[in-house]
Amino acid sequence: MKKLKFVSALAALSMFASLVVGCGGMGPGAGGGNNEKQITQPDSEGLSPSGWAYVTYPLNEFAGKTVKIDFSCKMKLENPDKVTFGGDAGYKLMWQVNSDGYPVVAEHVFTAEETDYVTVTGSKEGLAIASGNVLYLSTNNETPNIKVYIKDISYKVSYASEKEPEAKQYPTDIFTVGEAGSCGISLRGTKEPLTVFTEGSAASDIKANADGSVTWIATAAGGGGGGAAFYVKANKEEINLSNYESVEVELTYSPVTGAWDPKAQKPGFCLRVLPWDSTGMFGGYEDLEYFEGSEEYGTFKKTLNISEDFVNKIKKSSDSDSVLGFAIKFNDYNRGNKDGDKLKVQLKNVTFKAKANAAADKPYDDGLTAAERGTVVEINYPTRDYTVAADKVTDADKYNKHGWVYLPAGYNANDKDTKYPVFVLLHGFGQNENTWGLSNKGRGGRIKGYMDKGMKSGKVEKFILVCVTGVASKNWGPNGAGNDTNGFNAFGGELRNDLLPYMRKNYNIKDGRDNVAIAGLSMGGGQTFNIGIGECLDLISNFAGFSGALFSTAEEFTTKVDGNANFKDLKIHNLYMICGDADSLVYGTFPSYVEAMKKWTSRVENFESYVYKGGTHDFPVWYYGFNDFIQMVFKTGVQLYND
């Protein structure tokens, strides 16, 4: 039985709920008794199962429930003559759930005589569904050249439920606008209206009010509930956080009537500090404190102390205590909220209290000249939908994909004699090429700062970095949700056939696999292993997984790679892994993988790992890992921790 290949998400796997399509209505038992949901899915043609999950259907809307799944579909094999049938091995296709024990809901062992569709049915009850669980297709056989056709996919999920609490009515008249200048941000005796960091915010209906306050709607999204970001100064200059002892916030809040789970906890918040290199509330930040309102709605003030330890954390992450702004985030992580729950917030006043005799704040200076900083450019490279079989691709399946490219200081397109390695950086589930914050606006983002300073000091070899969306289907971004799991699984084709050739054609890239690296966070970390190592080891020899979503065992993974005859004698030059020990999503698989990678000396030349103490499935861990990895990538034998 095979475990799920990789299904992780951004900050919480519950974002898989957004993938459900073609759903019917709730069945009998509304208000108590039995509930059921009949779900149908589109046909899947010409799939090539890789031995782990290939087709995945989300179950997240049933998280916290014990369910029964009744499943049915029709399946057939193409090229069955390629299968070695016989004994108990056969060619078995299984529909499983990635919960404890990976229970099988339905399965079928194909025989050589079965050349047309066969009906596959099955039922499994007593399934305890948790966030991130999916129903998925797997196989017990790594046979190449097999294609699977699936149609008439339908399954019913049923469960006993308690009576739903009645939806509450929440007030709207508590959001008031006072006299001009009565609200805003106070800093060393001055007060000015709150200035929204528009591109750094992740909220809807953001409105700057005449009294200096700002209102917005934040929406629950699998633990990544949005919010609004603000500059500490309207002129966008920084302050030095070590000059301040506390920050006081005053805000009014209320759930939105009809868009709030009655079983959710009281609304929670987080104040995020945005250093000089931040691109917003999800791009380079440190969390000062999480807190909640005393009631379900209302107005309150909260004073948050700024400790020396926190200032040092800012300095460690950004090489300075210079702070560009802050954000108020809606905390929907494990607090009973459903994706889509909405919270209205009005930030009225923010006061940074300076220490006695504190020095004057200074604008940030990284000590680099313009010539010593790299540049960021945009690309649009031609590719196609790789979830569509090659012989069925139409013009509608072809498109140009957007990406960001970092060019190191001194890069000269006309200097063909000076070439650089190339590094592909991937995001997580529900994210895109913008997630890492790399941009040609402002200071370019935190990772640009890491690269600029590291390359100037010589700790980092100069290279070209490209950030793209790792979804190789029409759902990759602008024309879709960007959450296509099958598109994630198919990214190897795009990487091999389109992205790397485009980069070599348009930029001065060194030859050879030792001059190519790939890394990613969460789902992108899973892609780094399963696609980068598992499918493209002949193209790439440097890899890093940041909180990587790795749901096969390490033994299964290494056995598959070592069993690929095309990869015989190919070494992994550098391999790096990082995970937070408070990461409830993926830390469970991390220690076993680390031990296996350490022992995989026949394949791995240089391995490094790091456990981020107290780290969750979030950006502080991933930025830390990126900064680590760039100090060893494209070098030989650099050891940061594991001497």
Side-chain angles (χ1 to χ4, degrees), residues 11 130 141 162 193 203 339 347 554 559 618:
N141 194 308
E162 300 176 354
D339 288 356
L347 183 60
T559 299
D618 226 330

Side-chain angles (χ1 to χ4, degrees), residues 6 32 89 102 203 213 215 266 311 331 386 403 446 480 558 565 589:
F6 60 92
Y102 294 81
S213 67
T215 55
K266 290 179 293 188
V311 173
N331 179 22
Y386 277 88
R446 176 165 293 184
T558 56
T589 63

Side-chain angles (χ1 to χ4, degrees), residues 86-411:
D88 294 330
Y91 191 84
K92 183 188 292 185
L93 288 174
M94 297 168 287
W95 293 94
Q96 299 175 246
V97 176
N98 64 318
S99 59
D100 291 343
Y102 294 81
V104 175
V105 176
E107 65 182 16
H108 183 79
V109 179
F110 282 85
T111 66
E113 291 75 27
E114 291 175 320
T115 58
D116 202 353
Y117 281 99
V118 297
T119 299
V120 179
T121 62
S123 180
K124 189 73 175 180
E125 59 183 334
L127 298 170
I129 304 301
S131 179
N133 284 170
V134 296
L135 178 68
Y136 67 96
L137 174 68
S138 70
T139 175
N140 68 327
N141 194 308
E142 298 287 340
T143 305
N145 303 317
I146 291 295
K147 290 187 177 180
V148 179
Y149 291 78
I150 312 169
K151 68 178 183 178
D152 299 341
I153 306 163
S154 178
Y155 58 101
K156 181 176 71 174
V157 182
S158 54
Y159 57 91
S161 66
E162 300 176 354
K163 183 178 180 180
E164 291 286 332
E166 293 184 5
K168 295 183 178 181
Q169 297 292 316
Y170 294 101
T172 58
D173 57 359
I174 61 175
F175 299 96
T176 60
V177 177
E179 296 180 358
S182 60
C183 296
I185 183 167
S186 299
L187 194 72
R188 297 190 183 233
T190 65
K191 187 171 186 176
E192 59 185 15
L194 290 160
T195 303
V196 178
F197 186 171
T198 305
E199 293 177 348
S201 297
S204 60
D205 298 330
I206 300 176
K207 181 181 179 181
N209 301 311
D211 61 359
S213 67
V214 175
T215 55
W216 67 89
I217 301 291
T219 303
F230 303 87
Y231 293 101
V232 289
K233 291 185 176 182
N235 62 7
K236 302 181 183 179
E237 287 185 355
E238 299 83 11
I239 62 171
N240 301 109
L241 198 62
S242 57
N243 290 334
Y244 297 85
E245 63 182 23
S246 65
V247 55
E248 182 185 81
V249 296
E250 179 187 2
L251 56 83
T252 299
Y253 65 96
S254 176
V256 174
T257 298
W260 189 264
D261 191 329
K263 295 177 290 185
Q265 298 179 40
K266 290 179 293 188
F269 305 90
C270 174
L271 190 142
R272 287 187 162 169
V273 173
L274 309 180
W276 69 271
D277 53 5
S278 176
T279 54
M281 64 179 302
F282 291 113
Y285 62 84
E286 296 292 343
D287 290 336
L288 178 59
E289 187 174 326
Y290 283 82
F291 54 94
E292 66 177 27
S294 57
E295 304 294 340
E296 282 188 286
Y297 56 85
T299 299
F300 73 95
K301 292 182 180 180
K302 178 73 174 180
T303 298
L304 311 173
N305 293 321
I306 301 172
S307 68
E308 184 177 352
D309 286 345
F310 184 75
V311 173
N312 289 334
K313 181 185 288 189
I314 294 288
K315 290 179 178 179
K316 186 174 182 179
S317 68
S318 296
D319 297 327
S320 169
D321 69 341
S322 294
V323 169
L324 177 68
F326 64 92
I328 301 294
K329 177 187 177 293
F330 165 32
N331 179 22
D332 64 326
Y333 185 65
N334 290 339
R335 294 182 59 81
N337 290 107
K338 292 181 179 178
D339 288 356
D341 279 3
K342 296 183 183 299
L343 182 70
K344 186 172 183 178
V345 182
Q346 180 181 18
L347 183 60
K348 293 190 169 184
N349 287 291
V350 176
T351 301
F352 280 82
K353 184 178 180 181
K355 296 177 179 177
N357 302 315
D361 295 313
K362 297 179 180 179
Y364 178 71
D365 181 5
D366 62 5
L368 303 182
T369 66
E372 292 170 334
R373 297 189 184 95
T375 57
V376 180
V377 298
E378 296 181 81
I379 60 171
N380 289 280
Y381 62 99
T383 184
R384 70 169 178 87
D385 189 329
Y386 277 88
T387 66
V388 177
D391 59 351
K392 295 186 177 181
V393 172
T394 67
D395 288 344
D397 301 315
K398 300 176 182 178
Y399 39 79
N400 289 334
K401 282 181 72 174
H402 177 264
W404 296 102
V405 171
Y406 169 88
L407 301 172
Y411 179 86

Side-chain angles (χ1 to χ4, degrees), residues 546-547 578-580 612 614-626:
F546 312 129
S547 308
I578 188 173
C579 191
Y612 192 108
T616 60
H617 202 68
D618 226 330
F619 278 97
V621 176
W622 304 330
Y623 281 117
Y624 191 99
F626 178 85

